Amino acid sequence: MKDERKPVASYSSFILHPSSFLVMSVRVRFAPSPTGYLHIGAARTALFNWLYARKVGGTFLLRIEDTDLQRSTDESTRSIFEGLAWLGLDYDEEVVFQSANADKHRAAAARLVEEGKAYRDFTPKAERADANVKQEIAERARHAASEGVDHRANPFRDLPLEESNRRAASGEPFAVRLKVGREGRSRFEDAVYGEQLRDYSEIEDLVLVRSDGHPLYNLSVVCDDIEMGITDVVRGQDHLTNTHKQILIYEALGAAVPRFAHLPLILAPNKAKLSKRKHGEVVSLTTYRDRGFIPAAFRNFLALLGWSPEGEEKEIMSLAELTRKFSLEGIHRSPAVFNFSDADPRRWTDDKALWMNAEYIRTLPLEELLPMVRAELGSAGLWRAEYAGDGRDWFAKTVDLIRQRFFTLKDFSGQGRAYFADDFEFDDAAVAKNLKKEPRLKELLPALGERVQRIENFNAATAEETLRAFADESGVKAGLLINASRTALTGQSVGPSMFEVFEVIGESRSASRLRDAARLV
RNA sequence: GGCGCUAUGGUGUAGUUGGUUAACACGCCGCCCUCUCAAGGCGGAGACCGCGGGUUCGAGCCCCGCUAGCGCUACCA
C-alpha cells in the first residue's frame, strides 16, 4: 500500500496562538487495526478526529495498527484507505504502520525493566482458549475475590535485576510486566466523560511484552502516540477503562500524557455492540459506497451519530459546516443506536441515512451529481460516450428529472434504466394496474404511438397536447393514457411527470415503446 | 465476580443557572397538490423524560437507592 501524502515538517510543530502564548498545536490520529472491513464506528471515529483537527488547525494522522499479524490483512488495509478517501478525509504526513515499530516498543519495555519500572515475569504462559476468554476472566475474578486479591503478588516482581538479567541471558522465556504501584489511584479528565478515577488495586501488573517477544497493544499505542507527538486521543468508549493503564505507561516512560476524548459506542437495534460478524455488511463502510451512497450524505449522517452542533436545528451540513460547528463539547455520552432491519430490504440500513442520501441526491448541485451518476451508469454498462458530448444536455436534463425520487445512486441504473437503455424490465404490478385493466389500450396505445411519431417540434407541451386531444377523440380519460404511457415507456407505475418523460425519451423511442406495449395488454 | 459508562416518543437528537402545552429531524397515519410516485404544504398518533424514594412552592434537569443495557477486566486489539 503506497502512501501518496507528502511528508510534512516534524511533529513537534508549534504555532503561535493569537493570545501570544506559545501553544502546542493539536495532533490527533485515527488508528484502526486492519482486521476485517472498515467499520462504520471506526469511520465515525476517523471523521471526528479529522473534524477536530481541521477545526482547531491541527494535524490529522493515520496509523495502521497491524501488530496482530494473524488477523491483519492487506485487503483490510486497503479498505481503510479507500474508506477514508471516499469520505474525503485526508491525512497529514506519512502513514505509520505499527508493526514497523515493534523493536522500539520492545526497547521501551527493556528500558523500563532496567529502570525498575517493569519486570520480567518468568511464569510459564498459561494457555487460554480464545473462545471463552470473557468467561475465564469472570471465573478467575470470582476465584480471586473469594480468596482476596493482591495484584502485586507476582513472585518475580521484586526479583533482583542481576538475577533477572542472568535468567534472561540463559534463554529462559519471560513476559515483561509493568510494575503498578501498591498504593494510589489513576486519574484523568476525559473531554467527554469527565473525571475518571481508578484505584491501582484494581489494575494488575499488565503485560507489556509477551513471552514470544511480541509487544502488546497498550504498550504499542502509547509508544507510537508519544513518538507521533499525539496531543489528543479521540477514540471509542471501549477504550475508556484501559486508559488508566496507558496513563501508567506514559508515566513510567516519563512522557506527557495526552488529553483523552472517548466517543459513545454505536449500537445495533437490539442495543448490542454493532459487529461485522453478527450484523454483516451494514456495518462495513464500503457497503455504503457500493450501494450508491453519496459520500457527503453518509458523512453527514455519521457526524450526527453521537454528536450534535450547539444551538442548531439544521441537520444537512456540508463538510465545511461540520468543521465549523464541531466541538468536543458537543459529543454525547450515551450510545447511539444504528437502526436497520434485516427483514425489510427497504430498510437495509438506517432510515435517516437513506433519507439523507435521497435529500442529497435531489438537492446537490447537478454538476456535482452528474459524475457520480456517470460512474454508476458506467459500472452498470449503461454509460455512453455521447452523454459527455452531444448528449450532455440531454443527460443532465434527464438526471435532473429522475433524481427527484431516488434514494441511492443505484436507482439511476435500476429504476432509471429505461431512460438509458431499451432493454428494461416491466414491473408486473405496473403492467397489471396500468395496462391490463383496460382492453382498449391494445388499440389505443399503438394509435397514440402513431400520433406521437408525427408530432412536430416534439416536447413536453406538444406531447401533452397530442395525448389529451387523442384522449378526447377516443372518449377515454387522459389519465388512462398517461398512466399506461408511463408503464409503456418506463416499465413502471411511478415516475416523474409523464410529459417530461415523453420529452426526455424522445418521439421515436416513445412511439415504438407505445406500439410494443400493446402486446402486454 | 469487580470496576466503569449510559438511561428523553420506534430511531437520531434539543431541552439555558430547576418554573415549557417536553422541542426538532427520520419513520408512521391522514389531508391538500396531482397523470402515478415522490417532493412540498397542512394536520395527527406516539414520551407520565428507565424505576423508586427524597430536596423544593415547583424536577427531565439536584440528591440517594434500584434496575436494565453496554463496555473494560487477556502473554487480544
Side-chain angles (χ1 to χ4, degrees):
Chain A
M1 192 53 49
K2 273 280 178 287
D3 165 42
E4 301 176 348
R5 311 285 315 177
K6 73 275 175 207
V8 173
S10 75
Y11 48 67
S12 51
S13 50
F14 288 79
I15 59 162
L16 205 50
H17 198 265
S19 64
S20 92
F21 280 107
L22 201 55
V23 173
M24 190 167 27
S25 76
V26 165
R27 289 174 65 84
V28 296
R29 84 315 197 259
F30 171 50
S33 58
T35 54
Y37 296 112
L38 184 57
H39 190 286
I40 55 173
R44 184 260 238 144
T45 298
L47 210 212
F48 283 22
N49 271 285
W50 187 95
L51 288 173
Y52 182 50
R54 299 285 105 113
K55 163 83 181 188
V56 301
T59 307
F60 173 64
L61 306 174
L62 176 61
R63 180 173 74 228
I64 305 293
E65 306 215 321
D66 54 348
T67 50
D68 187 334
L69 277 5
Q70 310 296 315
R71 294 194 296 158
S72 297
T73 65
D74 287 345
E75 190 187 6
S76 178
T77 302
R78 206 175 314 125
S79 89
I80 290 168
F81 286 123
E82 282 177 11
L84 292 180
W86 185 68
L87 284 177
L89 307 181
D90 54 330
Y91 45 88
D92 308 308
E93 305 183 13
E94 273 186 276
V95 184
V96 171
F97 286 87
Q98 190 163 66
S99 60
N101 297 148
D103 285 339
K104 292 180 186 169
H105 304 160
R106 275 186 287 269
R111 201 187 98 207
L112 293 181
V113 169
E114 284 303 314
E115 294 173 356
K117 291 171 179 166
Y119 60 94
R120 297 190 184 88
D121 181 356
F122 295 97
T123 311
K125 185 187 176 213
E127 287 309 323
R128 209 176 286 283
D130 243 31
N132 37 344
V133 228
K134 305 268 179 197
Q135 244 181 55
E136 275 188 45
I137 292 167
E139 269 167 43
R140 202 177 60 143
R142 242 184 307 261
H143 234 260
S146 62
E147 290 159 27
V149 248
D150 179 8
H151 284 314
R152 315 289 164 248
N154 192 303
F156 298 100
R157 186 178 154 101
D158 296 311
L159 192 71
L161 187 57
E162 297 73 39
E163 191 182 343
S164 175
N165 285 158
R166 211 198 63 236
R167 290 175 71 162
S170 76
E172 194 175 340
F174 60 86
V176 177
R177 305 190 94 111
L178 185 73
K179 259 189 205 172
V180 178
R182 290 181 186 278
E183 306 265 293
R185 61 182 185 175
S186 160
R187 196 204 88 89
F188 72 95
E189 189 73 23
D190 190 87
V192 174
Y193 289 96
E195 182 180 51
Q196 298 295 311
L197 296 167
R198 198 168 177 202
D199 205 279
Y200 286 169
S201 65
E202 286 156 16
I203 306 174
E204 64 179 343
D205 289 347
L206 57 144
V207 172
L208 264 21
V209 181
R210 276 194 331 212
S211 50
D212 62 2
H214 190 89
L216 254 20
Y217 173 73
N218 285 126
L219 207 220
S220 298
V221 240
V222 173
C223 287
D224 287 352
D225 282 342
I226 291 171
E227 176 154 341
M228 292 167 78
I230 301 304
T231 60
D232 295 70
V233 174
V234 180
R235 68 211 330 179
Q237 196 242 35
D238 45 345
H239 293 285
L240 186 63
T241 322
N242 278 335
T243 301
H244 290 102
K245 293 182 179 175
Q246 294 172 201
I247 286 175
L248 253 20
I249 298 176
Y250 275 102
E251 289 171 345
L253 254 17
V257 178
R259 273 184 305 202
F260 293 94
H262 287 88
L263 275 23
L265 296 180
I266 297 177
L267 270 25
N270 62 356
K271 312 262 191 204
K273 190 175 177 178
L274 199 53
S275 83
K276 169 86 177 149
R277 226 187 58 225
K278 285 180 76 171
H279 303 103
E281 65 167 10
V282 257
V283 314
S284 171
L285 185 73
T286 42
T287 298
Y288 295 86
R289 182 243 279 149
D290 298 342
R291 295 192 64 162
F293 263 77
I294 285 180
F298 197 67
R299 192 172 58 205
N300 192 158
F301 171 76
L302 235 33
L304 263 12
L305 230 41
W307 172 79
S308 58
E310 195 190 331
E312 177 63 84
E313 289 205 330
K314 193 179 67 156
E315 295 189 307
I316 300 292
M317 285 175 281
S318 67
L319 231 208
E321 286 174 298
L322 288 172
T323 305
R324 183 149 33 81
K325 300 265 181 198
F326 192 80
S327 80
L328 259 24
E329 288 69 41
I331 297 174
H332 309 142
R333 278 165 289 274
S334 53
V337 172
F338 185 73
N339 213 2
F340 62 90
S341 153
D342 4 59
D344 184 356
R346 288 175 53 86
R347 293 200 172 154
W348 63 273
T349 189
D350 199 289
D351 272 337
K352 196 152 185 171
L354 246 14
W355 166 79
M356 205 170 262
N357 200 48
E359 181 71 16
Y360 269 82
I361 284 180
R362 78 175 83 91
T363 61
L364 211 59
L366 192 57
E367 288 308 309
E368 286 178 41
L369 182 65
L370 258 20
M372 298 186 214
V373 177
R374 173 181 180 157
E376 171 53 32
L377 293 186
S379 65
L382 296 177
W383 174 257
R384 294 190 201 169
E386 64 191 79
Y387 296 160
D390 291 349
R392 218 203 115 76
D393 288 347
W394 176 85
F395 179 62
K397 182 179 179 176
T398 302
V399 168
D400 198 24
L401 177 67
I402 62 182
R403 67 164 162 168
Q404 300 305 325
R405 55 218 81 204
F406 285 173
F407 280 81
T408 73
L409 258 16
K410 284 283 155 201
D411 291 333
F412 285 95
S413 61
Q415 295 177 47
R417 188 181 180 92
Y419 294 88
F420 306 106
D422 291 322
D423 60 331
F424 57 91
E425 310 238 307
F426 283 83
D427 177 66
D428 291 341
V431 171
K433 181 177 163 227
N434 292 336
L435 262 26
K436 290 197 188 302
K437 75 171 178 193
E438 174 54 79
R440 293 168 65 194
L441 285 171
K442 203 165 193 68
E443 284 75 44
L444 291 172
L445 252 20
L448 176 62
E450 292 312 314
R451 296 285 185 99
V452 165
Q453 184 79 66
R454 292 202 307 270
I455 295 177
E456 283 177 40
N457 190 18
F458 185 83
N459 60 36
T462 52
E464 174 160 17
E465 233 171 77
T466 305
L467 185 143
R468 290 197 189 279
F470 180 71
D472 277 349
E473 291 171 28
S474 313
V476 297
K477 282 186 168 179
L480 175 75
L481 293 178
I482 289 170
N483 289 324
S485 296
R486 174 153 25 242
T487 300
L489 301 216
T490 69
Q492 300 177 339
S493 62
V494 303
S497 166
M498 198 49 213
F499 302 112
E500 298 293 328
V501 175
F502 268 117
E503 179 170 326
V504 143
I505 299 283
E507 68 259 56
S508 66
R509 282 202 299 170
S510 294
S512 68
R513 286 181 189 184
L514 285 170
R515 280 192 290 267
D516 291 349
R519 69 186 155 75
L520 293 171
V521 177

